[in-house]
Amino acid sequence: MSVKTHQYEVVIVGAGGAGLMAALYASQKASTAVISKLYPTRSHTGAAQGGISAALGNIEEDRPEWHTYDTVKGSDYLGDQDAIEFMCFKAPELVYELEHMGLPFDRTPEGRILQRPFGGHTNNETGKPVRRACHAADRTGHMILQTLYQQCIKNDVTFFDEFQVLDLIMVNGKAAGVVAIELATGDLHVFHAKAVIMATGGWGRVWEITSNAYAYTGDGAAIVLRKGLPLEDMEFFQFHPTGIYKLGILITEGVRGEGGVLINDKGERFMEKYAPHVKDLASRDVVSRAMYIEMKEGRGINGQRYLYLDVRPETVNKYAKIDGRTNPDGTPYQVTAEEILHKLPDIIDFCKTYLGVDPVKEPMPVQPTAHYAMGGIPTNVKTEVLADEKGTVVPGLYAAGENACVSVHGANRLGTNSLLDLVVFGKEAGVHAAEYATGAAFEPLPGDAADFARSQLDAILNSKGNERVADIAAEMKHEMMDKVGVFRTEEGMQEALNKIRELKERFQHIHIDDRGKTFNTDLLTAWEIGNLLDIAEVTAASALARKESRGAHSRDDYPKRDDQNWLKHTLAWRRDGEIELRYKPVVLTKYEPKERVY
Amino acid sequence: MQVTLKILRYNPEKDAQPHYERYTLDAEPTDRILDVLEKIKAHEDGTLTFRRSCAHGICGSCAMRINGRNRLACKTLLQTLDTSKEITVEPILGLPRVKDLVVDMTTFFDNYKKVMPYFVNDEPLPEDGRERLQSPEERERFDDTTKCILCGACTTACPTFWADNSYVGPSAIVNAHRFIFDSRDRAAAERLKILAGESGVFRCRTAFNCTEACPREIDITKAIAEVKRAIITGRLD
Amino acid sequence: MSFKTASEGYVKYQGLGNWAFVLHRLTGLGVILFLAIHVVDTAFVYFAPDLYKEAIALYRSPLFGLGEILLVLSIIYHGLNGLRVIYFDMVNPNMWTIEINRKSVIWTWIITLVLWLPAAVVMGSHILEHLGG
Amino acid sequence: MTTQSRTVDVPQTWESFAWKWMRYSGVIIFILAWIHVLIQDILVGVYKIDIGYVAGRWNGGFWRVYDFLLLFFAFSHGMNGVRQVLYDYIHSAGGRRALNWILLILWAIVVVIGTIAIFAFTPPAA
């Protein structure tokens, strides 16, 4: 295999919201290349629906302080409060910046950005939901991704599309570039860089039912893990309450923001039992757990493992009246089918396409779906990657977006905060990486820079067994869904961990059919499954060790949060085939942990 | 139930010409064509090559010709097709073949880049640093064309584009439309000038294949007609 | 890309609009070919009256008679479909929707046939009258 | 807030002119050609057409002007149509330039021949 070498001051891996935002800023100061295994507009940011939160107060009073507190509370107090405060106070500025880039937000009659309520976002004085999510219909992520890509074209950013990064080059403890395979030709490319930004997104494909793209295989996190660096808080993976039954396709929380309610087999709006104040707009971990309990206790629809999400106008209006929900002008909140259609066009389309259900006429069958990684590559607020529990920075290495753990989401992310995270920390990554690159020299490249990448591919190509990759993947997904999902137990997690280790062993004996060079997705899919297995192992091991319930990590055997022993972040290394866990304290500033009630 | 897919295969390392291969397997009526392709790749033939990512019609990776029409594999359920017959799956037409169902999208994105598909407004920002104002009606004016996911289904369904890759194609025009009719944008005249040229909107023959192909249900031919009209009249309403 | 690619699409791509377009193109090319010849042969009345007689004789052959019936079909279709496109494109672009487009294509075909069939009967009977005569 | 109407100044191009031409001429031809076809091909029929018929028809000025207009609009419409079709398959600037000249010359020849015939024709003495 021939190896081509390129040199850029900053190399960005991944072209979703965080990667593109970083690219816009890094390219202003330093020569920058974006390397992406997909065409940029295929990134999963585009699937985000409901909105991006910022306390603009366009509709009703709102403050960044409230946003900060809601996020801290939403994180079940595991989020680092300095980082959360930074993000929430930056939010309005970034949303305006997106608007100035042309993002077509929906508008108020006064011409300002329209906002809608979302789970966990409240007026801290009244405790009622506040309209904080800025949106472009129900395709906000799509518009962010498109807008950022458009601006990158305008600013002539260099892209390497359909290049799969396989390895990170580290020299003298510093990041010195990446190695990638060009899908179209099968050639290896070495990108020599002063700074590397990892922005490769999440790994929902570890689980069976997921809202995530096929591409969401945790490549960046797995690459970093293989370089002897830790991953943070991997036990915290969010299950979104409303995925389309069996398919996992996301139905935005915006549906509940617009007044939709969850209904069980008895026709009850069960969320009022679990979250008496905000009901269906409680944070996602709370709602997903409530749904699991309902289903476990036999109140799933027809006894099956799904519930109804009902956004028919008559239902919305009935419960809006019961809740005393009002419009900004104080009149009672009432909707028509046309208004719902107008506000949620993509959701209606999904339901019609995949379920044959028209949501304004029938309720939607939903179940919790693996959605978002709160954990990931540990970074500080400047997005510098951290090497240990003491906060030692890895020079030249940055991470932003879902693959990073700042940590602003702690144990549970609030809806709309992911898009905010992308733009806020994507920008920080771009700014800081370029700043670092302009002051740093290129580390000399080792002669064998591409060897580790090549050896990984060769191992798959030359593997002599007869295991099929798809079977291994299916078993892993099933095991993780069952035992490291919404509810977890000691026994289950241990079984899952054993199973994953067994699967990793079997993975050494796979057989792939395609040994060609051109667009070999058979090879790359196998490599991705290898990443997922590594991520699954770290996730299960981190989860097994955490003997409490907090946010998305919910254990039957330890049902309570334990701040005494567990108000700390997990850091997990993979060393000599074993997972090593260490812990670091949570940054607390203004907000003392207290019981979380919605 | 059983379905048979007849897939146009091509491996540049082995084949001089593309050829069809047939796969018969069990499937559910609610399975998507993408699910069936995944099953084939997972269990029968790992060399089968196609692009996919989000699997629910928002990323635009899996545009292909299914029974002779451009669609997204992830939005085409078996129950919407006649499964008693073979289902033909071919790559989208008009772009160079790379392998099996994968085509080289370079020309497609180059054409997109020709029409200034980005927001332009160099006027000073509002002094309070907040948003530029836009009425809901002004926002609504270009809503339809903001939905584009750049999957290429429209452009590769266009008879003019099949013959001539220099025609910017429906997708590029849709993305130009999105900015031309955005009240905040200031580069409409420049875009219209580009689109009034030899590779622009007047190459559109209104065959309508683009609109039929769009998985996002954008009224593409209408958008193109509106751009034509804007060039002729200079009016942006 | 090329004539080959385009031809594959013209023939194989599934869609009423595609066929409406292909027919429009074929009928247009057919009519312009005929028109060029027709202008020249009619000009013979001035430039070469003898040749004009020969040309007319040729037109009166049964094969040309059938061709003329097809010509009339082409002119009717090309004209109607052209008007349809002009109306949608210039007067009311809001009619470029899937449903209206499909219906309008089908109606164009129906009206074309309704207008053409009587013409074909009249022209066909002319041919039959003059067969062998 | 209210919606403002906006206008821009777009220089017209050969293609925008051609587009308009196809549409306006199309409407005119629709009327002229259909009447022509109805009379000559269907009602009268080729079997009744000879020099004598033409002479009778071009006796007055009306049908001469009519036929000239039909010739001019239809042939110009058609030749631009041919140009548009061939633009699909001829992509180089040089090729398109050559095509335009060929079509223009062809157009001029046919229109000139036709026009001369229509207006210079004098009915042969019966």
Side-chain angles (χ1 to χ4, degrees):
Chain A
M1 266 187 249
S2 62
V3 178
K4 294 177 182 134
T5 306
H6 312 258
Q7 198 175 61
Y8 292 91
E9 288 177 299
V10 179
V11 160
I12 298 166
V13 186
L20 294 177
M21 194 74 184
L24 278 178
Y25 278 89
S27 62
Q28 289 172 14
K29 295 272 167 56
S31 71
T32 301
V34 183
I35 308 171
S36 169
K37 70 171 172 180
L38 304 170
Y39 281 104
T41 54
R42 316 284 183 237
S43 305
H44 205 53
T45 300
Q49 297 166 356
I52 175 168
S53 51
L56 306 182
N58 278 355
I59 312 222
E60 58 194 334
E61 190 190 1
D62 197 7
R63 299 179 201 157
E65 292 88 344
W66 295 352
H67 188 184
T68 306
Y69 171 71
D70 289 339
T71 304
V72 169
K73 180 181 170 191
S75 82
D76 220 349
Y77 296 91
L78 191 73
D80 287 327
Q81 295 181 6
D82 55 341
I84 292 172
E85 187 167 338
F86 177 82
M87 178 176 81
C88 295
F89 276 76
K90 278 271 181 196
E93 180 190 322
L94 265 296
V95 166
Y96 291 136
E97 192 175 334
L98 290 172
E99 198 280 332
H100 297 155
M101 290 178 187
L103 198 139
F105 284 111
D106 290 352
R107 300 287 169 156
T108 68
E110 298 76 36
R112 299 210 170 271
I113 295 169
L114 189 58
Q115 298 179 280
R116 63 161 64 115
F118 239 77
H121 293 278
T122 63
N123 175 318
N124 286 184
E125 281 162 11
T126 63
K128 292 237 162 136
V130 70
R131 293 168 176 85
R132 187 179 287 150
C134 311
H135 57 92
D138 53 358
R139 48 177 179 276
T140 314
H142 165 77
M143 290 325 316
I144 289 178
L145 185 66
Q146 296 285 330
T147 302
L148 293 176
Y149 183 57
Q150 291 154 2
Q151 291 297 308
C152 283
I153 291 172
K154 189 179 179 187
N155 291 293
D156 235 348
V157 172
T158 306
F159 284 96
F160 290 86
D161 297 333
E162 298 192 325
F163 278 61
Q164 169 75 63
V165 169
L166 300 167
D167 189 24
L168 172 68
I169 305 170
M170 300 279 290
V171 178
N172 303 325
K174 298 177 186 172
V178 297
V179 184
I181 181 172
E182 181 180 3
L183 267 68
T185 62
D187 291 335
L188 285 181
H189 293 249
V190 167
F191 291 84
H192 191 196
K194 294 175 182 176
V196 175
I197 302 172
M198 302 302 279
T200 65
W203 43 87
R205 287 277 155 184
V206 162
W207 286 270
E208 195 167 29
I209 303 290
T210 178
S211 64
N212 285 190
Y214 277 104
Y216 252 29
T217 51
D219 306 342
I223 287 170
V224 166
L225 186 71
R226 279 179 208 135
K227 300 316 275 190
L229 293 166
L231 297 178
E232 181 176 344
D233 290 344
M234 293 298 283
E235 62 271 44
F236 297 104
F237 198 92
Q238 179 166 77
F239 283 75
H240 192 291
T242 55
I244 292 180
Y245 178 49
K246 283 186 181 167
L247 291 171
I249 295 168
L250 186 67
I251 301 293
T252 176
E253 203 167 304
V255 169
R256 283 170 284 141
E258 300 297 348
V261 292
L262 288 160
I263 302 284
N264 65 16
D265 193 43
K266 294 185 160 171
E268 297 163 341
R269 181 211 200 175
F270 58 86
M271 275 315 294
E272 54 195 10
K273 281 188 291 189
Y274 302 91
H277 299 294
V278 293
K279 297 164 188 158
D280 293 276
L281 284 173
S283 72
R284 289 175 180 172
D285 56 334
V286 174
V287 181
S288 285
R289 258 196 307 280
M291 290 170 75
Y292 252 76
I293 293 168
E294 288 294 310
M295 294 187 290
K296 203 166 132 192
E297 292 176 0
R299 292 189 294 278
I301 305 301
N302 301 322
Q304 304 283 305
R305 293 183 71 78
Y306 67 93
L307 293 153
Y308 279 142
L309 174 60
D310 193 343
V311 73
R312 292 177 294 180
E314 57 270 29
T315 311
V316 170
N317 293 337
K318 174 181 155 194
Y319 287 105
K321 201 171 166 194
I322 292 171
D323 294 349
R325 186 170 171 180
T326 56
N327 292 313
D329 61 6
T331 54
Y333 182 86
Q334 294 280 290
V335 292
T336 63
E338 288 73 42
E339 284 165 340
I340 290 169
L341 201 66
H342 193 75
K343 283 175 170 170
L344 304 164
D346 283 11
I347 296 303
I348 311 259
D349 178 46
F350 292 153
C351 290
K352 284 183 177 168
T353 303
Y354 298 113
L355 296 167
V357 163
D358 182 349
V360 298
K361 298 201 183 104
E362 291 170 81
M364 301 167 252
V366 293
Q367 74 183 125
T369 180
H371 184 55
Y372 186 88
M374 269 76 71
I377 306 166
T379 76
N380 58 24
V381 177
K382 288 164 78 178
T383 70
E384 295 165 320
V385 172
L386 305 175
D388 55 32
E389 69 278 20
K390 299 181 201 83
T392 310
V393 166
V394 181
L397 188 57
Y398 298 79
E402 189 175 345
N403 73 0
C405 179
V406 187
S407 142
V408 283
H409 308 304
N412 172 63
R413 175 174 71 77
L414 289 190
T416 71
N417 270 354
S418 59
L419 290 176
L420 182 59
D421 175 1
L422 298 180
V423 291
V424 169
F425 292 105
K427 177 176 174 177
E428 291 301 306
V431 169
H432 293 299
E435 194 180 281
Y436 170 85
T438 50
F442 281 101
E443 293 291 324
L445 269 188
D448 59 354
D451 282 8
F452 182 53
R454 184 183 287 124
S455 72
Q456 291 182 59
L457 297 183
D458 284 348
I460 297 169
L461 286 168
N462 300 329
S463 177
K464 292 278 186 283
N466 52 13
E467 290 278 357
R468 281 205 82 90
V469 179
D471 296 334
I472 294 177
E475 286 183 44
M476 169 193 71
K477 288 162 196 275
H478 186 79
E479 194 77 1
M480 290 295 284
M481 194 75 201
D482 230 27
K483 294 169 182 163
V484 197
V486 174
F487 274 110
R488 303 167 173 181
T489 65
E490 182 87 18
E491 194 189 359
M493 286 186 288
Q494 187 60 60
E495 282 168 18
L497 194 55
N498 297 343
K499 179 79 182 179
I500 288 156
R501 287 181 173 147
E502 175 204 319
L503 292 172
K504 288 184 81 162
E505 166 55 28
R506 283 168 56 191
F507 188 73
Q508 304 302 313
H509 309 286
I510 54 171
H511 169 87
I512 64 165
D513 298 335
D514 194 343
R515 281 146 208 274
K517 281 173 69 69
T518 312
F519 226 93
N520 191 339
T521 51
D522 205 20
L523 171 64
L524 289 170
T525 303
W527 182 78
E528 288 171 339
I529 300 302
N531 295 342
L532 289 176
L533 284 168
D534 281 357
I535 300 273
E537 185 187 20
V538 175
T539 302
S542 301
L544 184 60
R546 185 175 282 271
K547 294 187 166 42
E548 65 159 350
S549 289
R550 181 187 298 272
H553 177 64
S554 190
R555 294 184 60 149
D556 279 357
D557 39 5
Y558 298 93
K560 287 261 185 282
R561 197 174 82 198
D562 177 2
D563 290 334
Q564 200 77 38
N565 297 306
W566 288 102
L567 186 60
K568 56 189 181 186
H569 297 291
T570 309
L571 288 176
W573 283 260
R574 191 156 200 284
R575 286 189 176 141
D576 305 324
E578 295 295 318
I579 304 294
E580 179 184 328
L581 300 175
R582 290 189 227 159
Y583 295 89
K584 69 172 185 180
V586 174
V587 179
L588 303 175
T589 55
K590 294 180 193 151
Y591 308 100
E592 274 303 309
K594 56 184 177 190
E595 204 195 338
R596 199 158 146 255
V597 183
Y598 281 102
Chain B
M1 66 177 193
Q2 290 240 309
V3 287
T4 300
L5 260 59
K6 180 179 135 192
I7 304 175
L8 192 62
R9 301 290 309 267
Y10 172 67
N11 179 350
E13 295 169 39
K14 288 181 184 157
D15 307 328
Q17 286 296 321
H19 60 280
Y20 289 99
E21 277 180 33
R22 288 173 173 76
Y23 301 89
T24 301
L25 61 163
D26 282 323
E28 299 293 318
T30 51
D31 277 349
R32 301 162 277 194
I33 290 293
L34 182 62
D35 297 321
V36 181
L37 293 175
E38 283 287 335
K39 274 185 204 170
I40 294 170
K41 187 171 180 69
H43 302 294
E44 296 195 23
D45 186 350
T47 65
L48 178 65
T49 305
F50 49 92
R51 291 190 178 99
R52 85 285 188 265
S53 184
C54 79
H56 66 283
I58 189 72
C59 82
S61 298
C62 62
M64 50 189 75
R65 258 182 304 160
I66 297 167
N67 281 350
R69 298 179 42 186
N70 285 2
R71 309 165 190 252
L72 293 182
C74 69
K75 280 192 93 172
T76 308
L77 274 60
L78 288 177
Q79 65 195 14
T80 64
L81 304 170
D82 179 1
T83 46
S84 66
K85 296 194 193 117
E86 287 179 337
I87 297 164
T88 312
V89 180
E90 297 158 301
I92 46 178
L93 194 61
L95 292 168
R97 287 192 177 92
V98 175
K99 185 177 176 185
D100 293 347
L101 302 171
V102 175
V103 298
D104 182 352
M105 300 288 285
T106 310
T107 315
F108 173 79
F109 279 102
D110 285 348
N111 281 335
Y112 166 72
K113 289 169 193 166
K114 277 184 202 158
V115 301
M116 303 173 68
Y118 41 76
F119 184 74
V120 177
N121 185 337
D122 297 328
E123 293 166 10
L125 294 168
E127 280 184 14
D128 57 7
R130 296 175 69 186
E131 65 270 58
R132 290 191 167 96
L133 299 181
Q134 181 170 55
S135 71
E137 294 74 31
E138 287 170 335
R139 167 64 182 79
E140 180 64 24
R141 177 64 189 86
F142 62 100
D143 186 67
D144 198 37
T145 45
T146 65
K147 297 189 298 200
C148 176
I149 54 174
L150 298 170
C151 66
C154 58
T155 295
T156 58
C158 172
T160 307
F161 186 80
W162 291 332
D164 181 6
N165 277 182
S166 75
Y167 169 47
V168 295
S171 174
I173 299 169
V174 160
N175 282 280
H177 179 282
R178 176 252 172 273
F179 290 103
I180 289 166
F181 293 95
D182 186 336
S183 59
R184 302 166 299 164
D185 184 87
R186 294 292 173 267
E190 276 177 83
R191 283 188 205 96
L192 291 173
K193 201 177 151 196
I194 296 165
L195 290 170
E198 230 171 56
S199 304
V201 281
F202 297 113
R203 297 295 298 283
C204 163
R205 303 268 83 87
T206 63
F208 208 72
N209 288 358
C210 54
T211 310
E212 296 259 10
C214 181
R216 303 281 292 154
E217 293 174 11
I218 300 170
D219 287 321
I220 302 178
T221 311
K222 177 184 161 196
I224 297 174
E226 287 172 351
V227 174
K228 287 171 183 164
R229 180 187 271 209
I231 291 170
I232 303 291
T233 64
R235 290 207 324 269
L236 300 180
D237 46 16
Chain C
M1 275 220 297
S2 65
F3 185 72
K4 188 167 165 266
T5 309
S7 312
E8 186 184 344
Y10 295 165
V11 176
K12 280 176 67 183
Y13 197 84
Q14 302 291 304
L16 286 179
N18 192 50
W19 298 322
F21 153 77
V22 171
L23 284 178
H24 195 78
R25 177 159 280 200
L26 288 177
T27 54
L29 288 173
V31 171
I32 186 69
L33 182 69
F34 169 78
L35 182 60
I37 298 167
H38 179 54
V39 170
V40 172
D41 71 54
T42 305
F44 287 162
V45 295
Y46 172 71
F47 290 105
D50 290 340
L51 279 178
Y52 183 73
K53 282 175 195 147
E54 283 186 32
I56 285 291
L58 196 62
Y59 280 137
R60 287 176 181 169
S61 72
L63 202 63
F64 267 73
L66 287 176
E68 197 187 5
I69 295 177
L70 280 181
L71 174 75
V72 170
L73 176 67
S74 295
I75 290 171
I76 295 173
Y77 174 72
H78 195 87
L80 279 177
N81 192 53
L83 274 193
R84 179 182 75 91
V85 168
I86 292 169
Y87 186 79
F88 282 27
D89 239 14
M90 299 193 82
V91 183
N92 190 358
N94 288 329
M95 292 178 73
W96 281 127
T97 63
I98 289 179
E99 198 183 336
I100 296 177
N101 190 64
R102 280 183 194 160
K103 277 190 187 154
S104 66
V105 167
I106 289 169
W107 274 110
T108 303
W109 289 341
I110 291 172
I111 297 170
T112 299
L113 287 179
V114 165
L115 292 178
W116 176 69
L117 282 175
V121 168
V122 172
M123 293 170 75
S125 65
H126 287 169
I127 297 174
L128 291 177
E129 272 170 40
H130 292 85
L131 261 186
Chain D
M1 67 175 292
T2 55
T3 301
Q4 315 249 308
S5 80
R6 300 179 303 141
T7 56
V8 283
D9 192 21
V10 190
Q12 295 301 298
T13 59
W14 171 238
E15 292 300 332
S16 68
F17 171 75
W19 185 81
K20 279 183 273 190
W21 167 254
M22 292 307 269
R23 275 142 186 82
Y24 291 128
S25 64
V27 176
I28 294 167
I29 302 159
F30 185 83
I31 300 162
L32 296 179
W34 278 37
I35 292 172
H36 179 85
V37 166
L38 180 68
I39 295 172
Q40 320 301 357
D41 295 79
I42 301 166
L43 297 181
V44 178
V46 71
Y47 303 97
K48 292 185 188 140
I49 292 175
D50 55 19
I51 289 200
Y53 174 82
V54 175
R57 198 172 131 80
W58 283 351
N59 207 8
F62 177 82
W63 287 110
R64 287 194 199 227
V65 173
Y66 187 101
D67 285 0
F68 168 73
L69 290 176
L70 177 58
L71 158 68
F72 177 78
F73 281 107
F75 203 66
S76 309
H77 180 101
M79 286 313 264
N80 189 51
V82 171
R83 182 187 72 87
Q84 292 184 335
V85 170
L86 291 178
Y87 262 45
D88 277 2
Y89 312 109
I90 298 171
H91 304 150
S92 71
R96 283 180 177 179
R97 210 175 307 119
L99 171 73
N100 286 339
W101 278 111
I102 293 167
L103 291 179
L104 185 70
I105 292 165
L106 217 72
W107 172 81
I109 291 172
V110 171
V111 170
V112 167
I113 289 176
T115 308
I116 291 174
I118 290 170
F119 290 109
F121 177 77
T122 46

